[in-house]
């Protein structure tokens, strides 16, 4: 039996997470449900996509990922399922699954629409359970080709510069950007490993660190994190607050300045 992961924007103060888990477990007590996060910003597809993109591949192939974000009882919503990179996903047709991978899904189905009278949770729960117990995706819904697809935001690259943005601020106040290590190394090589400057807000950096512990408490660090994207933070401090940087702030890297 496959694992089930559960991610939502339900929060942890109310009964919604427990109710959803109860619905699943009432269908089969043998299900194994692993929480990813229930603190996704309300209906924030970008936030949810970032967390899911950096999580799902850590689980075994065949895992079922249940994503309840932007799942209010709106007639514009519908529940869909898909298979992507060997994993199964079930969630609303919000476009979130199009920004977690560069690959296309092998199959997409519509499970059920959402109506003002029915959130579809019981039918969706049955689909999650069936997938976890080995059912084929095409047996739990109608095959569709018109699901919502979004374009993930990418950094702009020239021979002399990279311009990206802060796409996530984590629990520690670190600034996570969409500037990839491979792009940085490529442009740096083109410029003969020349000096560079990294600027965000009023802050300018001229070196990269290997980790946050290379600087003293209260000092800034800049490095490419485990996800191979540029991260800016403050050792023992919250960079987002102390530097006054918010989501979507522009980050510049200039070579041969």
């Amino acid at each position: 039996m496959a694992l089930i992961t559960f991610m939502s924007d339900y929060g942890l103060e109310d009964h919604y997470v427990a109710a959803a888990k109860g619905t699943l477990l009432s269908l089969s007590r043998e299900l194994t449900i692993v929480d990813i996060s229930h603190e996704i910003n309300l209906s924030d597809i970008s936030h949810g996509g970032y967390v899911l993109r950096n999580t799902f591949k850590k689980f075994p192939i065949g895992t079922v990922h249940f994503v309840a974000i932007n799942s209010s009882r709106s007639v514009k919503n519908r529940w869909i399922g898909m298979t992507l990179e060997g994993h199964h996903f079930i969630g609303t047709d919000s476009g979130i699954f199009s920004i977690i991978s560069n690959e296309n899904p092998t199959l997409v189905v519509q499970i059920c629409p959402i109506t003002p009278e029915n959130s579809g949770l019981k039918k969706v729960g049955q689909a999650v359970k069936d997938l976890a117990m080995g059912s084929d995706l095409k047996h739990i819904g109608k095959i569709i080709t018109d699901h919502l697809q979004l374009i993930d935001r990418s950094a702009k690259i020239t021979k002399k510069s990279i311009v990206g943005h802060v796409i996530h601020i984590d629990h520690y106040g670190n600034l996570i950007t969409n500037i990839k290590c491979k792009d940085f190394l490529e442009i740096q090589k083109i410029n003969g490993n020349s000096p560079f400057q990294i600027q965000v807000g009023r802050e300018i950096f001229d070196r990269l660190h290997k980790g946050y512990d290379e600087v003293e408490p209260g000092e800034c660090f800049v490095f490419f994190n485990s996800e191979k994207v540029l991260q800016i933070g403050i050792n023992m401090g919250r960079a987002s607050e102390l530097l006054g940087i918010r989501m979507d702030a522009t980050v510049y890297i200039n070579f041969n300045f």
Side-chain angles (χ1 to χ4, degrees):
M1 180 181 293
L3 288 171
I4 297 171
T5 73
F6 185 21
M7 186 175 79
S8 75
D9 57 5
Y10 290 167
L12 296 173
E13 296 183 3
D14 299 301
H15 64 282
Y16 306 122
V17 172
K21 286 184 177 181
T23 298
L24 289 172
L25 292 171
S26 66
L27 296 170
S28 173
R29 295 186 181 184
E30 298 178 2
L31 297 177
T32 300
I33 306 171
V34 179
D35 293 302
I36 292 180
S37 174
H38 299 294
E39 297 291 349
I40 302 301
N41 297 330
L42 185 62
S43 299
D44 191 333
I45 302 306
S46 178
H47 184 198
Y50 174 84
V51 173
L52 190 59
R53 180 171 64 246
N54 290 302
T55 304
F56 83 87
K57 292 181 184 179
K58 305 296 192 297
F59 288 87
I61 293 292
T63 296
V64 179
H65 304 278
F66 177 34
V67 181
I69 298 174
N70 193 31
S71 57
S72 62
R73 295 184 179 184
S74 169
V75 294
K76 296 181 180 179
N77 288 343
R78 61 178 177 175
W79 287 94
I80 62 173
M82 70 174 60
T83 300
L84 179 64
E85 294 194 40
H87 293 252
H88 303 299
F89 298 86
I90 289 182
T92 56
D93 188 13
S94 62
I96 188 171
F97 302 127
S98 63
I99 62 173
I100 65 172
S101 171
N102 292 326
E103 297 186 16
N104 294 320
T106 56
L107 184 66
V108 183
V109 301
Q110 177 178 331
I111 299 171
C112 63
I114 295 176
T115 68
E117 297 79 22
N118 176 27
S119 66
L121 184 57
K122 287 186 178 180
K123 189 169 184 178
V124 170
Q126 183 68 48
V128 171
K129 189 267 292 185
D130 289 347
L131 279 178
M133 298 187 75
S135 290
D136 192 279
L137 190 66
K138 64 184 179 182
H139 295 147
I140 67 170
K142 176 183 177 182
I143 296 176
I144 58 173
T145 58
D146 62 340
H147 60 286
L148 180 62
Q149 299 185 63
L150 305 176
I151 299 176
D152 202 12
R153 196 171 193 179
S154 300
K156 295 181 179 179
I157 303 171
T158 69
K159 292 183 179 180
K160 296 291 184 180
S161 67
I162 301 175
V163 181
H165 293 85
V166 175
I167 61 170
H168 182 64
I169 298 175
D170 70 12
H171 176 71
Y172 302 99
N174 295 316
L175 310 173
I176 314 298
T177 78
N178 61 349
I179 298 176
K180 298 178 180 179
C181 181
K182 65 177 183 178
D183 294 330
F184 174 86
L185 294 176
E186 182 177 342
I187 303 304
Q188 186 182 47
K189 183 178 180 180
I190 290 174
N191 286 276
N193 294 316
S194 67
F196 60 86
Q197 284 189 341
I198 300 172
Q199 181 175 357
V200 56
R202 298 179 180 180
E203 303 298 319
I204 297 178
F205 311 97
D206 59 6
R207 61 167 294 195
L208 291 171
H209 302 94
K210 294 181 179 179
Y212 65 88
D213 55 352
E214 280 197 358
V215 301
E216 297 296 322
E219 293 184 353
C220 290
F221 60 80
V222 184
F223 64 79
F224 285 98
N225 62 21
S226 60
E227 305 301 334
K228 305 302 182 183
V229 295
L230 190 71
Q231 176 174 322
I232 302 167
I234 295 178
N235 190 4
M236 304 296 290
R238 297 183 59 81
S240 58
E241 297 175 4
L242 295 174
L243 301 182
I245 305 298
R246 297 184 178 183
M247 278 283 295
D248 206 39
T250 305
V251 181
Y252 303 91
I253 302 182
N254 294 306
F255 298 85
N256 282 320
F257 55 90

